[in-house]
Amino acid sequence: MDSNSHPQLAALSAELAACGRVRRFAEGEVLYRQGTRPRAMLCVLEGELRLVRHSSAGRTTILQRSRGGFIAEASLEASAYHCDIVAAEAGRLLAIPLPDFRRALDEDGGFRRNWIRHLAGEVRRLRALNERLQLNSAADRILHAIDSTGRDGVLTLEGSRKAWAADLGLSHEALYRTIRRMVDAGTLSVDGQCIALAGDTASAGPSRTMNKR
């Protein structure tokens, strides 16, 4: 396991990492279903895992995506998973037994502080996601995502645009149409996986999207 490729692993002691078991998963595999009792903390090494919730109306919501790092952190103190854990891409994960993980938090102050920092980052990410999904138009959601998760007006996608559409709460058709319209209008520029603010939009700053709400 390469802690340089997975910074969250750098916080694990050699002893704790050795307690984990590496598991491979296939694309489309449901690793754990809602209601299953959690037994390990999961850290994605390769590929992509998602937390997926299905409503009674048949709607699917992606609550978390991980392409490297921990997923379903709330399972540490949960009696059952509240979502399905599904593989969007084939890969590998490290499963650390929960008793060993809890013991490390109790006994290792450095690891505990790193874990708190990680959870604080997840809170910020979820707040931004909630704010984004309150926006009505696809264009505003795109601009908010660039403002809140990009850097210097540029967002580099880690996965496919179809996966990004799901994160934005949009159909991939609506995302493609909106991006094309915004590029034609000179609002965005697109270069492969990089989606950037262009022209006056870039100089307006992060407050622009919020002020339109």
Side-chain angles (χ1 to χ4, degrees):
M1 292 174 292
D2 183 359
S3 61
N4 292 323
S5 299
H6 306 283
Q8 291 176 28
L9 290 178
L12 303 181
S13 67
E15 180 182 1
L16 181 58
C19 293
R21 178 175 65 90
V22 176
R23 171 183 172 182
R24 292 190 176 276
F25 51 84
E27 181 178 352
E29 180 181 350
V30 180
L31 281 72
Y32 301 95
R33 293 197 178 275
Q34 182 175 343
T36 304
R37 181 181 177 183
R39 298 186 181 279
M41 184 58 63
L42 309 178
C43 186
V44 179
L45 304 176
E46 297 174 8
E48 180 180 323
L49 293 182
R50 296 178 180 178
L51 285 188
V52 179
R53 181 171 293 168
H54 307 282
S55 73
S56 57
R59 180 178 179 181
T60 298
T61 302
I62 298 172
L63 299 180
Q64 185 182 12
R65 294 172 56 217
S66 178
R67 295 181 60 84
F70 292 103
I71 190 168
E73 292 91 337
S75 65
L76 182 63
E77 298 298 336
S79 59
Y81 285 116
H82 298 116
C83 309
D84 292 346
I85 301 180
V86 182
E89 297 176 7
R92 300 182 304 143
L93 63 82
L94 178 68
I96 303 171
L98 289 181
D100 297 309
F101 199 89
R102 293 188 184 109
R103 185 166 55 252
L105 287 174
D106 288 340
E107 298 176 356
D108 186 337
F111 176 57
R112 183 166 57 249
R113 287 189 293 274
N114 281 326
W115 185 247
I116 291 171
R117 279 195 291 269
H118 166 68
L119 294 181
E122 280 298 292
V123 169
R124 290 191 293 270
R125 183 189 67 80
L126 290 171
R127 283 176 176 169
L129 175 62
N130 181 65
E131 183 177 49
R132 183 155 55 249
L133 293 179
Q134 300 303 312
L135 299 172
N136 292 324
S137 77
D140 278 352
R141 292 187 186 186
I142 290 169
L143 293 173
H144 183 282
I146 296 172
D147 283 342
S148 61
T149 62
R151 183 173 182 178
D152 297 328
V154 180
L155 176 63
T156 302
L157 299 181
E158 295 182 349
S160 67
R161 292 190 195 177
K162 188 172 183 179
W164 190 41
D167 286 346
L168 295 173
L170 304 171
S171 69
H172 62 278
E173 294 91 352
L175 176 64
Y176 296 161
R177 285 196 304 269
T178 305
I179 288 177
R180 188 181 311 115
R181 188 162 58 245
M182 296 173 77
V183 169
D184 291 343
T187 305
L188 293 181
S189 64
V190 177
D191 183 8
Q193 292 291 89
C194 295
I195 300 177
L197 302 179
D200 293 339
T201 308
S203 62
S207 63
R208 177 202 42 70
T209 305
M210 317 307 169
N211 291 337
K212 293 182 67 176
R213 290 184 59 184

